[in-house]
Amino acid sequence: MYDDIIIGAGIAGSTVARWLAEEGGHKVLVLEKRSHIGGNCYDRLDGHGILVHEYGPHIFHTNMEDVFSYLSRFTEWNLYGQGHQVVANVDGRLIPVPFNLNTLHMVYEGNQAKELEQKLIAAYGEGSRVPVMKLRENKDPQIQGIAQYVYENIFLKYTMKQWGQKPEEISAQVTGRVPVLISYDNRYFQDKYQGVPLYGFTKMFARMLDHENISVQTGVAAKERLAVRERDILFDQVPFNGNVIYTGELDGLYGCRYGRLPYRSLRFAFTHYDMDDFQDGHSVVNYTVSEDFTRITEFKHLTGQKDADGTTIVKEYPFAYTGAEGEIPYYAIMNPQNEALYNKYKQLADQVPNLYLLGRLAEYKYYNIDAMAKKALELAGRLAGQ
């Protein structure tokens, strides 16, 4: 019999499974409804031998030494020497994003750029990160002009494509994720460690789940084996008193009885080209003022792969998740109304003493990979009494 049943084999489920099996000595069953492990980080070789991220680009970045050390047990890394860098295509010109002092000097002429730089440093401090919505509140007309440029050329249309809403309608947790940087730092993230597993995320997850105390079953939806009742859980129609860690959509666990939680989904269009380079060395180019898609990722620049001919790209097209067959919920749309709906489902889950919610979907919030791994390790430690 199992001590723990974990629903989902992504970063949350795989991390908590390994810790419970190895450090806690638990017998663990992992159920994954997809045909593969790895969750949205899943990567694979395409028909041309290019390692692609099936569900869009994923990059590991962290300042957490303990998380980096733990995951490094299961993989070597391709760490980016210059950090992950992203550019935006603004009317055919590529500029660094987030908007920083390098971008400022590309957009404005010499003396004007220097004057604006000094104003930004005086107002916010060198090295600071300022959300564009906060920058727009500055009373200085010149700083307002910078804010308006960023808002119109980098933020507004991209945000509306990504979220289907205007920035003013979106949670500050989201709008604050891409600030204006008062520095000459072109990195998209400012973390110490940035990169991808050297041989891919899937192989890292496979090593995490490769333990004698872990059983993994793919292609198995939780509802086929598990039934969550008012205060207890049935597994294969028999009461289960062990821990159940659930990483899927919380509304789906309860048949969407109060209505479906809103998410944004994505459609991916992969294309292979018989050329060495499609984006002049850029792994990610955001299309902030044009096109129906939000960005293009060129995987060879993301992974550092050099042993395959040609190059493969993917374009991302956001749309509203409906729950239809084949759609995947990617991003929770956080606002007071949706959070109130989520809390109705959470109140049901809280009545089940051996049910634990973990992850983006189960908690209806955004997590980076490192933060999710950290939370999974903390939960596993509590469940094992350590």
Side-chain angles (χ1 to χ4, degrees), residues 101-329:
L101 297 182
N102 287 314
T103 323
L104 180 77
H105 283 268
M106 292 178 68
V107 172
Y108 295 92
E109 297 297 332
N111 289 335
Q112 184 184 14
K114 291 178 182 178
E115 180 184 352
L116 293 173
E117 175 182 340
Q118 292 306 311
K119 284 200 169 191
L120 288 171
I121 292 172
Y124 301 104
E126 192 167 3
S128 61
R129 302 163 58 89
V130 187
V132 66
M133 303 304 279
K134 181 178 179 181
L135 199 71
R136 295 183 82 201
E137 298 171 359
N138 194 293
K139 302 301 183 184
D140 187 300
Q142 287 186 302
I143 292 180
Q144 284 186 1
I146 298 171
Q148 194 62 20
Y149 176 88
V150 176
Y151 183 79
E152 291 181 356
N153 291 282
I154 297 175
F155 200 68
L156 176 61
K157 294 176 183 176
Y158 187 90
T159 299
M160 291 178 70
K161 285 191 288 185
Q162 181 72 16
W163 294 100
Q165 296 174 299
K166 293 181 180 179
E168 294 86 349
E169 301 171 323
I170 299 172
S171 164
Q173 290 179 270
V174 175
T175 58
R177 284 181 56 81
V178 184
V180 171
L181 303 183
I182 315 302
S183 72
Y184 284 93
D185 189 347
N186 278 345
R187 296 176 302 166
Y188 195 77
F189 310 113
Q190 279 65 54
D191 299 295
K192 177 179 179 180
Y193 301 108
Q194 302 183 36
V196 292
L198 186 60
Y199 303 107
F201 281 100
T202 304
K203 289 188 177 181
M204 181 182 77
F205 284 113
R207 291 188 65 183
M208 293 178 73
L209 294 169
D210 183 14
H211 191 278
E212 61 184 2
N213 286 341
I214 300 176
S215 298
V216 180
Q217 298 179 16
T218 58
V220 179
K223 62 183 179 182
E224 296 175 8
R225 307 285 301 277
L226 210 68
V228 178
R229 301 193 299 186
E230 188 172 339
R231 285 183 170 79
D232 62 357
I233 297 172
L234 299 181
F235 176 62
D236 289 342
Q237 301 181 343
V238 176
F240 180 75
N241 296 318
N243 302 309
V244 174
I245 298 98
Y246 183 76
T247 71
E249 307 99 297
L250 186 55
D251 53 351
L253 188 63
Y254 291 97
C256 297
R257 70 173 65 172
Y258 300 131
R260 188 177 298 283
L261 283 166
Y263 289 89
R264 293 294 284 177
S265 189
L266 295 167
R267 179 175 67 83
F268 299 101
F270 290 84
T271 306
H272 182 80
Y273 293 98
D274 292 325
M275 60 175 64
D276 290 333
D277 186 11
F278 183 79
Q279 295 192 137
D280 295 326
H282 298 291
S283 59
V284 179
V285 177
N286 289 354
Y287 285 78
T288 56
V289 294
S290 63
E291 313 301 338
D292 294 332
F293 51 85
T294 52
R295 60 182 175 178
I296 296 178
T297 298
E298 187 169 0
F299 290 103
K300 290 174 73 172
H301 301 317
L302 195 75
T303 65
Q305 185 181 9
K306 301 183 186 301
D307 61 350
D309 295 328
T311 192
T312 299
I313 68 163
V314 67
K315 297 177 180 178
E316 297 180 37
Y317 296 86
F319 65 94
Y321 175 70
T322 67
E325 186 70 26
E327 291 184 2
I328 298 173

Side-chain angles (χ1 to χ4, degrees), residues 64-84:
M64 301 180 192
E65 295 286 349
D66 55 344
V67 171
F68 180 73
S69 177
Y70 188 79
L71 294 181
S72 294
R73 293 180 51 206
F74 309 105
T75 186
E76 299 173 66
W77 296 97
N78 173 26
L79 294 177
Y80 304 151
Q82 301 298 319
H84 177 54

Side-chain angles (χ1 to χ4, degrees), residues 230 254 257-258 343-352:
E230 188 172 339
Y254 291 97
R257 70 173 65 172
Y258 300 131
N343 284 329
K344 293 179 69 174
Y345 287 111
K346 188 174 185 301
Q347 288 171 9
L348 295 176
D350 287 345
Q351 297 177 42
V352 185

Side-chain angles (χ1 to χ4, degrees), residues 11-12 358-360 363 367-376:
I11 183 65
L358 182 68
R360 285 189 182 191
E363 299 180 62
Y367 284 105
N368 287 325
I369 296 171
D370 64 333
M372 192 68 267
K374 179 76 169 181
K375 188 160 189 181

